[in-house]
Amino acid sequence: MFENRLPPEPDKILRIMAMFAGDPRTDKVDLGVGVYRSPDGRTPVMAAVKEAERRIWDAQETKSYVGLSGDPAFLDAMRVLILGDAVPAARVAACGTPGGTGAVRQVLEMTRRLSPEATVWISDPTWPNHPAIIDHLSQKRQTFRYYDAATGGIDRDGMFADLARAQAGDLILLHACCHNPTGADLTPQDWEDIAAICEKTGAIPFVDMAYLGFAESLEDDAAGTRLLAARLPEVFIAASCSKNFGLYRERVGVVLVVTGEGGPQAAAFGTLANLNRQNYAFPPDHGARIVQTILGDAALAESWRTELRTMRETMLGNRRMLADALRAETGSDRFGFFAGHRGMFSLCGGDPEQVRILRETHGIYLIGDGRMNVAGLTAATIPQVARALAEVLA
Ligand SMILES: Cc1ncc(COP(=O)(O)O)c(C=O)c1O
């Protein structure tokens, strides 16, 4: 089967990770891979996670199968975390998945099964795995204008003009917060305007929520998604616990389908469980059980919220320090957008050639489109990175 085959193009993020690992320079700086780093450069196991694992280890007496959709207590805890009381529980169908990627994949597969003609609208740019999965499933896709590189903000006129062309039943894929890769987030007014477009066109919002709690707060970061859920008859949500619980390798994700009252919830729940059955039977349980243990215990939940706040403030601090250092280097506010963006990522504004020079000459590793993980910065590396950016992007 493989005699005349070439391996597929490696994922560009994984390629940068491999190049970084093979670079012998001691002053190299990894701003590529999308993991949170504490000021001492670690991706820590959160204290609440450690304690939850200890409790699970003590109490767990079986590793037998859980339900096809995962543990109902986990699903309910995630519903409350994400949606609060924006919609009644009876309107929400939930399903556990292997990570946020698994959740994105299941929502798209569900759409392909039930509505094969639907177009999926994705922002320009977006996380590369969005178009990759859509193409793998042979679905139709269109991009809508989103990022304005000249201002470091959102091209609102372009975005709303493009979204107005969506048809009934199309999906509009939105980032709940911490837009990957731009860091430019929708405002409360933007969420209102998107809800109005969906009401008018019949398009369905599909919210990818991979960074809940990394932008402003758990409540603020969910506010746009909750607004859509409260206003519209149908909303799809793919959420990840990789970043905000630091559970990357445990693969913890969830799909929430907000439906109309009554019958549709059962149909959505059954469809999701059936898709799980066909793809991998049962979602992983260990990470989900950690999340459920934390969210179900007031003291653990408080410890988690506090550590999450520290992580968020570290990233915001890095953003401010970088913007200040670049202001000092360039004598301009050209890079002020770093401080205004949210989450782990910003596009630094460099083209692929400049990204190559940053890597080869200065040992600074970014993704080829200029995506920088600001969580990879430290007080010690910020001056070095600011000097190199000012020089190479001059
Ligand atoms: C926008 C977006 N969606 C989904 C994910 C999925 O994360 P995971 O599958 O690791 O939970 C990521 C992770 O990088 C992401 O950036």
Side-chain angles (χ1 to χ4, degrees):
M1 201 179 283
F2 294 102
E3 283 84 11
N4 300 315
R5 303 261 177 206
L6 291 171
E9 268 292 295
D11 181 288
K12 59 185 179 181
I13 298 174
L14 300 181
R15 204 167 56 217
I16 293 289
M17 282 166 76
M19 285 163 94
F20 182 83
D23 185 339
R25 285 174 288 186
T26 51
D27 61 348
K28 61 186 176 177
V29 185
D30 179 6
L31 305 178
V33 62
V35 296
Y36 171 79
R37 294 236 164 82
S38 55
D40 59 2
R42 289 177 314 115
T43 303
V45 180
M46 297 175 87
V49 168
K50 275 267 185 221
E51 176 55 25
E53 285 194 300
R54 223 172 269 128
R55 291 186 192 178
I56 293 166
W57 191 83
D58 277 341
Q60 196 165 50
E61 285 178 345
T62 178
K63 295 275 187 193
S64 179
Y65 294 121
V66 188
L68 280 181
S69 301
D71 193 308
F74 162 70
L75 299 176
D76 207 50
M78 289 302 291
R79 178 188 61 76
V80 172
L81 181 71
I82 292 167
L83 288 170
D85 57 7
V87 287
R91 278 189 59 202
V92 184
C95 180
T97 57
T101 308
V104 169
R105 169 73 187 249
Q106 293 301 70
V107 168
L108 290 170
E109 269 205 59
M110 179 181 72
T111 305
R112 185 181 63 168
R113 183 192 281 188
L114 301 181
S115 190
E117 288 307 311
T119 294
V120 186
W121 292 78
I122 56 175
S123 60
D124 179 21
T126 190
W127 185 48
N129 225 3
H130 287 152
I133 297 174
I134 294 165
D135 291 351
H136 177 67
L137 293 172
S138 304
Q139 288 176 297
K140 290 196 258 181
R141 70 172 155 96
Q142 294 240 32
T143 52
F144 61 89
R145 282 169 280 174
Y146 187 82
Y147 188 62
D148 181 356
T151 62
I154 293 175
D155 171 5
R156 292 201 163 71
D157 291 346
M159 174 170 78
F160 290 120
D162 290 345
L163 291 182
R165 291 169 35 229
Q167 305 289 307
D170 285 356
L171 296 196
I172 298 179
L173 209 175
L174 303 159
H175 299 225
C177 61
C178 308
H179 185 272
N180 181 2
T182 70
D185 278 352
L186 298 167
T187 63
Q189 184 60 51
D190 292 332
W191 288 101
E192 296 266 4
D193 294 345
I194 288 170
I197 284 189
C198 292
E199 279 168 344
K200 196 162 166 202
T201 60
I204 303 165
F206 170 20
V207 183
D208 185 351
M209 185 181 268
Y211 301 94
L212 180 66
F214 265 33
E216 308 289 351
S217 69
L218 284 166
E219 297 295 312
D220 288 344
D221 295 358
T225 307
R226 291 178 184 183
L227 179 145
L228 298 181
R231 251 175 85 167
L232 298 170
E234 220 167 43
V235 178
F236 303 157
I237 302 162
S240 165
C241 298
S242 298
K243 321 280 160 140
N244 51 9
F245 285 85
L247 285 168
Y248 305 84
R249 66 174 66 164
E250 298 294 353
R251 314 307 300 138
V252 193
V254 68
V255 172
L256 300 181
V257 176
V258 180
T259 65
E261 305 276 352
Q265 191 262 12
F269 181 77
T271 303
L272 289 168
N274 181 263
L275 273 175
N276 264 9
R277 182 66 179 150
Q278 287 166 15
N279 281 332
Y280 37 77
F282 302 90
D285 177 70
H286 184 69
R289 196 156 297 274
I290 293 169
V291 169
Q292 172 198 329
T293 304
I294 293 171
L295 294 177
D297 180 285
L300 281 186
E302 184 52 30
S303 156
W304 169 67
R305 283 171 186 266
T306 304
E307 198 167 345
L308 180 60
R309 188 179 318 123
T310 303
M311 290 159 72
R312 179 169 66 239
E313 285 168 359
T314 300
M315 289 181 282
L316 284 171
N318 286 352
R319 288 187 171 283
R320 280 192 288 269
M321 282 192 286
L322 181 64
D324 289 347
L326 279 161
R327 195 172 298 112
E329 287 288 339
T330 62
S332 82
D333 209 24
R334 176 180 160 202
F335 293 100
F337 59 80
F338 277 118
H341 289 165
R342 287 295 177 268
M344 294 209 294
F345 306 117
S346 281
L347 288 180
C348 74
D351 61 30
E353 177 57 12
Q354 291 167 321
V355 168
R356 185 188 64 73
I357 296 170
L358 282 165
R359 181 174 67 245
E360 291 182 1
T361 309
H362 300 273
I364 293 169
Y365 282 71
L366 307 174
I367 305 301
D369 57 1
R371 189 190 84 170
M372 172 190 289
N373 175 12
V374 299
L377 295 165
T378 64
T381 58
I382 283 171
Q384 171 194 352
V385 171
R387 245 188 330 272
L389 283 177
E391 185 188 314
V392 177
L393 304 189

